[in-house]
């Protein structure tokens, strides 16, 4: 492996992981808000 | 401080702040990583692997800042009984654990070409691994406390808050580990008022640290809003069941 392979691996992990965390938290928020709105309408 | 104890007031501030932090953070991180990969020079000794710095250092900073946030929020919860403090502590755990894991992973990737090994059991790496396990323990405890509170078995969140405070002892150990013990890990390059890093590396690093910190802030706000919504759902369902 060249030095760039290690750099790409670290950046890939950092970018994909951060994007995954943001998506997970965003979807959990939207799901919770949708459930709360549905309950408010009852 | 108790002015923000009202969830409605908190949410009216948190909603626009979440977007502002996230958009600014993403732009700053994109600029920093672009500069780090395409503009910053290679290091004389470490070569191109020095570019891992722009992911590894913000991750290390946020791994430790995450637990510091848990400890401060836990103290506020225990001493002043601020209603949002426990939620803030729980909301900081997941992003803190993620950045702690990212720090360990990118550190390991960086260690292979520079130290010749993926891992060594020295003070810095081991204390950071301990922090990651503390995060896992805190999340399990906070989750169990929340379920207990929902089931009406009292405010067990105090146990999680005490764990959050006690675990904070590991943060200065991580910080001082490279001074107290012999380590392959380099000593701190930046201290208050001075830096041993060349400005060519320092500028993208500063932008990356601020950018990732803003993303961390946005994630904490999103988690707080989710936890508040969950509490409101729980309360509303209990009222519906009682009616």
């Amino acid at each position: 492996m060249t030095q760039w392979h290690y750099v790409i691996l670290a950046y890939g992990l950092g970018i994909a992981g951060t994007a995954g965390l943001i998506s997970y938290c965003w979807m959990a928020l939207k799901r919770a808000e949708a459930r709360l709105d549905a309950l408010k309408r009852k | 401080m108790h002015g923000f104890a009202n969830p409605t007031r908190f949410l009216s501030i948190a909603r626009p702040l979440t977007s502002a932090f996230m958009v600014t953070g993403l732009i700053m991180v994109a600029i920093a990583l672009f500069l780090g990969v395409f503009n910053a020079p290679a290091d004389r000794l470490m070569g191109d692997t020095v570019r891992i710095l722009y992911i590894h250092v913000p991750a290390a900073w946020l791994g430790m800042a995450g637990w510091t946030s848990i400890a401060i929020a836990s103290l506020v919860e225990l001493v002043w009984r601020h209603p949002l403090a426990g939620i803030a502590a729980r909301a900081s755990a997941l992003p803190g654990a993620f950045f702690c894991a990212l720090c360990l992973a990118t550190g390991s990737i960086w260690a292979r070409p520079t130290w010749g090994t993926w891992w060594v059991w020295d003070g810095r790496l081991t204390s950071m691994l301990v922090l990651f396990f503390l995060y896992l323990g805190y999340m399990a405890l906070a989750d169990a406390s929340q379920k207990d509170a929902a089931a009406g078995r009292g405010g067990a969140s105090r146990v999680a808050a005490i764990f959050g405070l006690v675990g904070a002892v590991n943060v200065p150990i991580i910080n001082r580990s490279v001074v107290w013990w012999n380590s392959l890990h380099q000593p701190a390059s930046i201290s208050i008022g001075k830096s041993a890093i060349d400005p060519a590396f320092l500028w993208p690093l500063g932008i990356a640290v601020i950018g990732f910190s803003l993303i961390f802030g946005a994630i904490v706000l999103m988690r707080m809003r989710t936890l508040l919504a969950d509490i409101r759902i729980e309360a509303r369902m209990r009222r519906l069941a009682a009616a």
Side-chain angles (χ1 to χ4, degrees):
Chain A
M1 278 171 79
T2 69
Q3 290 190 337
W4 276 103
H5 286 119
Y6 292 102
V7 175
I8 291 164
L9 186 59
Y11 274 61
L13 206 62
I15 292 167
T18 307
L21 178 69
I22 293 169
S23 308
Y24 168 76
C25 293
W26 180 253
M27 284 190 292
L29 172 63
K30 290 294 137 190
R31 248 193 328 263
E33 285 182 343
R35 273 186 70 200
L36 184 61
D37 285 343
L39 271 174
K40 277 179 183 170
R41 282 195 294 272
K42 277 191 181 174
Chain B
M1 193 165 60
H2 276 77
F4 297 105
N6 180 339
T8 309
R9 183 180 293 176
F10 167 77
L11 286 173
S12 69
I13 298 164
R15 281 193 193 105
L17 265 187
T18 308
S19 316
F21 280 8
M22 186 59 80
V23 171
T24 317
L26 287 174
I27 292 170
M28 288 184 82
V29 166
I31 291 169
L33 296 188
F34 179 84
L35 290 175
V37 172
F38 298 107
N39 193 52
D43 181 68
R44 186 170 59 88
L45 295 172
M46 289 184 280
D48 284 311
T49 60
V50 75
R51 301 178 202 285
I52 296 172
L53 178 85
Y54 308 111
I55 299 268
H56 178 71
V57 171
W61 147 248
L62 289 170
M64 289 193 285
W67 197 280
T68 308
S69 313
I70 290 174
I72 293 170
S74 299
L75 183 71
V76 172
E77 182 187 6
L78 289 170
V79 177
W80 290 283
R81 306 284 173 94
H82 193 290
L84 287 178
I87 291 167
R90 288 212 302 277
S92 304
L94 179 67
F98 165 75
F99 281 108
C100 187
L102 184 63
C103 167
L104 288 165
T106 53
S108 185
I109 292 167
W110 199 359
R112 185 69 187 89
T114 50
W115 297 348
T117 180
W118 295 100
W119 184 264
V120 283
W121 291 100
D122 74 354
R124 172 58 64 90
L125 279 70
T126 308
S127 55
M128 202 66 191
L129 184 65
V130 168
L131 181 67
F132 179 66
F133 290 139
L134 284 173
Y135 271 118
L136 297 185
Y138 178 84
M139 285 194 288
L141 198 57
D143 192 43
S145 302
Q146 197 179 6
K147 281 177 184 150
D148 272 359
R153 287 198 287 269
S157 72
R158 287 174 67 85
V159 179
I162 292 165
F163 184 81
L165 265 181
V166 173
V169 76
N170 192 41
V171 175
I173 292 175
I174 296 170
N175 184 264
R176 303 305 295 165
S177 57
V178 284
V179 179
W180 290 342
W181 298 293
N182 283 327
S183 174
L184 281 175
H185 197 286
Q186 66 181 64
S189 307
I190 303 171
S191 57
I192 298 167
K194 60 180 179 181
S195 162
I197 301 178
D198 188 272
F201 300 109
L202 196 59
W203 273 104
L205 179 61
I207 298 169
V209 168
I210 296 169
F212 272 110
S213 300
L214 287 170
I215 291 174
F216 183 93
I219 293 170
V220 170
L221 287 174
M222 277 197 278
R223 299 285 302 154
M224 285 183 77
R225 288 167 60 190
T226 307
L227 290 167
L228 275 172
D230 285 342
I231 290 167
R232 285 178 157 187
I233 289 166
E234 198 66 47
R236 208 165 268 267
M237 282 175 75
R238 221 175 289 151
R239 273 204 301 274
L240 283 171

